[in-house]
Amino acid sequence: MEGLGYPTDWQWAWENYKPAVVAIAREYGLAEHLEIGGGRDPLFAQGELDALGVRVTLNDISARELALAPAGLRTVAHDICAPDAPDALGRGAYDFAYSRMLMEHVRDVPAMWRNMHALLRPGGVALAFFPTLYAPVFALNRVIPERLACAALETVFPDRKPDGDNPKFPAFYDHCFSAESRMLPMLRHAGFAGFADVTILPFYGYSYFWKFPVLKQLDAVFTALAQRRDWRLVSSFAYVIARA
Ligand SMILES: C[S@@+](CC[C@H](N)C(=O)[O-])C[C@H]1O[C@@H](n2cnc3c(N)ncnc32)[C@H](O)[C@@H]1O
């Protein structure tokens, strides 16, 4: 991450997620990948995978989402939290398991990490990129009824409609925090031995309020302060990187 110039800025997190996956895969020679909750929008095209010399299995709970993904990838429709997920996807079969904007949609995040541990070979790497509480917009999304949250989001961002290119999925935010005190106990107990070498990178800010002039300025001041002081309680995104 230092090589990629990690700052705690949310735009960096989005722009550098894919470079981060590539850099980690290269650094540790990780060839067998599992993208969890990749849905219709997997991280890599087949040509990129060939150039990198890696194989990816694309997982999602929704067969419909996987059907919308580009053809050619190996896909497995399964709930990553289900007790039989390691058998369905391949116990110990992967060097690298990663997800982007999945964790907030998962009801039982400890079960997800337990299954990721079982899916990775010993020493394999897990990476999750997710929104965190209590960034105001995500805290709001968690407390207001789902129908109201959908209506608000679809008004501001028309592509977030159910039939749009980027539909909204119900979000629960279980264990969606960037504070080590909240994450490490869960990660260290996920799987028999737990994850080792856990790194949590917090990020601050988002664009959700940019269309609202006064709110935008207020949020910018608050975000700058939170970022400067590293107030994990109100970070907006995080990367968790861990070794099985
Ligand atoms: C917001 S989308 C993110 C898609 C993609 N990773 C991206 O960044 O564009 C969340 C995806 O997670 C999938 N998902 C939700 N719960 C899941 C679960 N328990 N197991 C596997 N996939 C799940 C949804 O079907 C959806 O495709």
Side-chain angles (χ1 to χ4, degrees):
M1 292 306 120
E2 275 168 17
L4 292 171
Y6 163 65
T8 58
D9 177 70
W10 71 278
Q11 279 165 303
W12 186 94
W14 280 90
E15 284 161 13
N16 284 277
Y17 172 69
K18 188 169 175 177
V21 169
V22 171
I24 293 169
R26 285 208 175 116
E27 176 79 15
Y28 298 102
L30 311 173
E32 203 64 56
H33 295 196
L34 174 65
E35 182 173 7
I36 306 167
R40 67 180 71 189
D41 192 18
L43 194 58
F44 296 107
Q46 188 59 56
E48 293 175 302
L49 295 173
D50 295 342
L52 289 168
V54 305
R55 286 170 302 281
V56 170
T57 297
L58 182 63
N59 156 260
D60 202 279
I61 196 171
S62 162
R64 180 173 177 271
E65 285 300 308
L66 290 176
L68 293 169
L73 293 177
R74 177 180 180 246
T75 61
V76 182
H78 211 86
D79 178 357
I80 191 60
C81 304
D84 64 344
D87 295 320
L89 285 154
R91 199 175 281 276
Y94 303 95
D95 302 315
F96 197 8
Y98 45 84
S99 66
R100 181 180 68 182
M101 301 305 124
L102 161 75
M103 216 165 97
E104 72 275 25
H105 303 294
V106 162
R107 282 184 190 274
D108 185 352
V109 164
M112 166 185 147
W113 282 92
R114 209 162 40 242
N115 285 343
M116 280 166 72
H117 194 279
L119 288 160
L120 289 167
R121 61 153 172 84
V125 178
L127 164 63
F129 172 28
F130 53 93
T132 56
L133 296 174
Y134 294 91
V137 84
F138 301 133
L140 200 65
N141 187 27
R142 192 171 103 162
V143 295
I144 66 176
E146 183 62 19
R147 281 177 60 174
L148 201 61
C150 285
L153 192 70
E154 289 164 18
T155 307
V156 185
F157 301 102
D159 73 323
R160 305 300 309 264
K161 290 187 174 154
D163 56 353
D165 289 339
N166 188 14
K168 182 183 187 303
F169 296 89
F172 311 105
Y173 300 99
D174 179 30
H175 284 84
C176 284
F177 299 107
S178 65
E180 292 183 352
S181 58
R182 289 172 179 261
M183 298 302 282
L184 289 185
M186 185 269 292
L187 294 167
R188 294 232 163 99
H189 290 100
F192 179 68
F195 281 92
D197 299 341
V198 178
T199 301
I200 303 177
L201 303 179
F203 300 97
Y204 294 87
Y206 43 63
S207 61
Y208 290 97
F209 294 147
W210 285 7
K211 291 191 179 173
F212 306 99
V214 177
L215 202 53
K216 177 181 173 179
Q217 273 82 31
L218 287 174
D219 187 60
V221 171
F222 175 70
T223 297
L225 189 63
Q227 186 171 19
R228 216 168 32 247
R229 304 255 167 104
D230 194 17
W231 284 341
R232 300 288 178 107
L233 198 65
V234 289
S235 66
S236 48
F237 296 96
Y239 285 0
V240 170
I241 309 165
R243 209 167 44 80

